[in-house]
Amino acid sequence: MNTVLTQHATAEAEQAPRKNFVELKGVTKRFGTNTVLENLDLAIPQGHMVTLLGPSGCGKTTVLRLVAGLEKPSEGRIYIDGEDVTDRSIQQRDICMVFQSYALFPHMSLGENIGYGLKMLGRPKSEIRDRVNEALALVDLEGFADRYVDQISGGQQQRVALARALILKPKVLLFDEPLSNLDANLRRSMREKIRELQQQFNITSLYVTHDQSEAFAVSDSVLVMNKGHIMQMGSPQALYRQPASRFMASFMGEANIFPAQRQADSVEIFGYRIPKPNHFGAENGACTVGIRPEAITLNTQGDESQRCSVHHVAYMGSQYEVSVIWHGQSLLLQVNATQLQPNVGDDLYLHIHPYGMFILNEG
């Protein structure tokens, strides 16, 4: 049976997706003499989940607060659904925010917490009751309407906060480090639930986290920031497999970086020739390549160009994290714990999978 919330989701999903549903144009934000964001342009398509990722102090939370209306830009304009909302308050922007701290009222039942926004809008009690029950069902908390905050777990509290946002059917949903207070298993299940509901309701969403795996799991696109600037934006796969700079290569996981020579059908590093992957293009000559640790395996056989010495081994459960010295340089790789078990001091031979390599644009 179709319900009010799922009918809304279906209707929204059937609409042709709009481009640039949330836009920041030339946005600069200063706090006194400190410039936190500088001339930032950002466009988020309708129905997309974009995650802001970056080191502490990079400006990602400031972007979220600007979209929410909690901060006003020093320069530039902000648009939601084609309307200039730069000078509008958070109440006038048709957005909802899910906070790290959940921000639930302890003196209210869960049902009252979830229905609070509808109550403030003057909705009839019967409608509020029906939509609260539906929202609880969406986050797998049927029958919890009469419980209180101190009677449920942290993961359940986060689901209540999500239900409170979804019940208002906002144009834009904002997440501020929503899972950082949960343990690893709860984070995994909650990020799956957030992604499932965001896609079901086709809500344009902006998500801030410091956790790379969380960003990869929930996002259509990831935007990486550093020192108030956008470093790169794209799908999680694109950012990991084809980082645009040394900063991106090291920020999006571990990367081994070496000088190399591109040839017609191979890439040569320290005399070791690796088949040239298609994404390296037709150009030849000197270049800088990055190699992901999981693209490197160790063997007991190989030629002298592949020979390396095991310098450090760390057991990580399903794999070993191994550091080797290769032609005088340190290289990090991962070894499946059910296969070769390296020991410090072993002389072994490395093999590099070509599709775990990328070219770095040093410019």
Side-chain angles (χ1 to χ4, degrees):
M1 185 177 73
N2 287 334
T3 58
V4 175
L5 285 177
T6 52
Q7 284 173 348
H8 166 76
T10 303
E12 287 293 313
E14 288 175 352
Q15 293 179 5
R18 296 188 186 120
K19 292 185 178 179
N20 303 343
F21 192 78
V22 174
E23 282 189 281
L24 280 70
K25 294 185 177 181
V27 168
T28 295
K29 179 60 181 177
R30 303 183 189 92
F31 293 101
T33 59
N34 181 30
T35 301
V36 180
L37 301 173
E38 187 172 6
N39 197 29
L40 186 141
D41 293 314
L42 172 62
I44 303 175
Q46 184 176 20
H48 275 228
M49 170 82 88
V50 174
T51 297
L52 298 175
L53 194 61
S56 296
C58 70
K60 57 185 183 292
T61 299
T62 301
V63 171
L64 195 76
R65 291 176 63 82
L66 285 166
V67 174
L70 298 172
E71 301 285 353
K72 187 175 179 180
S74 305
E75 298 171 14
R77 310 303 294 176
I78 299 171
Y79 299 85
I80 295 177
D81 196 13
E83 297 183 9
D84 188 337
V85 299
T86 311
D87 299 315
R88 295 184 188 177
S89 67
I90 186 171
Q91 293 84 2
Q92 298 170 315
R93 295 194 182 196
D94 198 5
I95 62 103
C96 281
M97 198 162 181
V98 180
F99 295 94
Q100 175 182 348
S101 60
Y102 318 139
L104 301 177
F105 299 115
H107 63 285
M108 293 183 182
S109 69
L110 303 187
E112 289 170 333
N113 267 283
I114 293 170
Y116 182 76
L118 293 177
K119 181 180 178 181
M120 292 298 98
L121 293 173
R123 295 289 191 266
K125 289 184 179 180
S126 59
E127 179 189 344
I128 294 174
R129 182 184 63 250
D130 291 343
R131 287 173 63 177
V132 164
N133 289 334
E134 184 183 345
L136 283 167
L138 282 171
V139 295
D140 304 321
L141 289 175
E142 299 98 324
F144 278 57
D146 295 328
R147 297 194 189 186
Y148 285 81
V149 175
D150 61 359
Q151 296 176 313
I152 61 174
S153 68
Q156 290 169 330
Q157 288 180 40
Q158 189 56 276
R159 280 187 272 165
V160 171
L162 181 59
R164 182 180 57 188
L166 289 172
I167 200 172
L168 293 173
K169 308 174 190 175
K171 286 184 177 179
V172 180
L173 192 53
L174 306 177
F175 296 88
D176 184 15
E177 300 272 10
L179 308 183
S180 60
N181 290 335
L182 305 179
D183 63 36
N185 288 334
L186 278 175
R187 282 202 302 271
R188 187 177 298 110
S189 62
M190 272 305 303
R191 72 193 188 199
E192 291 171 0
K193 175 58 70 174
I194 285 172
R195 182 59 167 158
E196 173 194 332
L197 292 173
Q198 182 270 328
Q199 290 181 312
Q200 178 181 340
F201 288 91
N202 196 38
I203 300 176
T204 308
S205 303
L206 195 58
Y207 192 107
V208 166
T209 182
H210 65 278
D211 187 311
Q212 186 181 120
S213 60
E214 188 178 314
F216 280 14
V218 302
S219 308
D220 293 298
S221 298
V222 175
L223 185 153
V224 179
M225 298 184 64
N226 190 34
K227 298 179 180 178
H229 296 274
I230 295 174
M231 304 303 292
Q232 191 174 351
M233 181 174 177
S235 70
Q237 296 91 337
L239 267 58
Y240 187 77
R241 294 174 182 169
Q242 296 179 316
S245 64
R246 279 183 181 255
F247 170 84
M248 287 297 302
S250 59
F251 186 78
M252 303 301 290
E254 299 286 350
N256 302 288
I257 298 174
F258 296 103
Q261 286 285 333
R262 273 186 290 183
Q263 301 171 354
D265 59 357
S266 66
V267 178
E268 185 175 314
I269 309 172
F270 300 138
Y272 174 30
R273 299 184 70 178
I274 306 153
K276 187 176 180 180
N278 294 335
H279 64 271
F280 269 46
E283 294 183 25
N284 296 331
C287 64
T288 300
V289 299
I291 308 165
R292 294 298 185 190
E294 65 272 17
I296 308 166
T297 57
L298 292 176
N299 259 294
T300 55
Q301 295 181 339
D303 62 39
E304 194 60 28
S305 67
Q306 298 168 266
R307 187 174 179 176
C308 62
S309 176
V310 177
H311 177 66
H312 178 76
V313 178
Y315 179 62
M316 309 297 287
S318 62
Q319 64 189 23
Y320 291 97
E321 189 174 270
V322 182
S323 174
V324 302
I325 302 300
W326 184 44
H327 295 276
Q329 296 196 35
S330 179
L331 181 147
L332 183 69
L333 57 105
Q334 296 165 354
V335 176
N336 190 310
T338 63
Q339 299 173 358
L340 181 71
Q341 297 183 18
N343 297 299
V344 174
D346 285 352
D347 283 335
L348 296 168
Y349 299 86
L350 59 82
H351 295 256
I352 298 173
H353 193 288
Y355 286 92
M357 300 194 305
F358 51 85
I359 290 183
L360 279 177
N361 180 0
E362 296 285 48

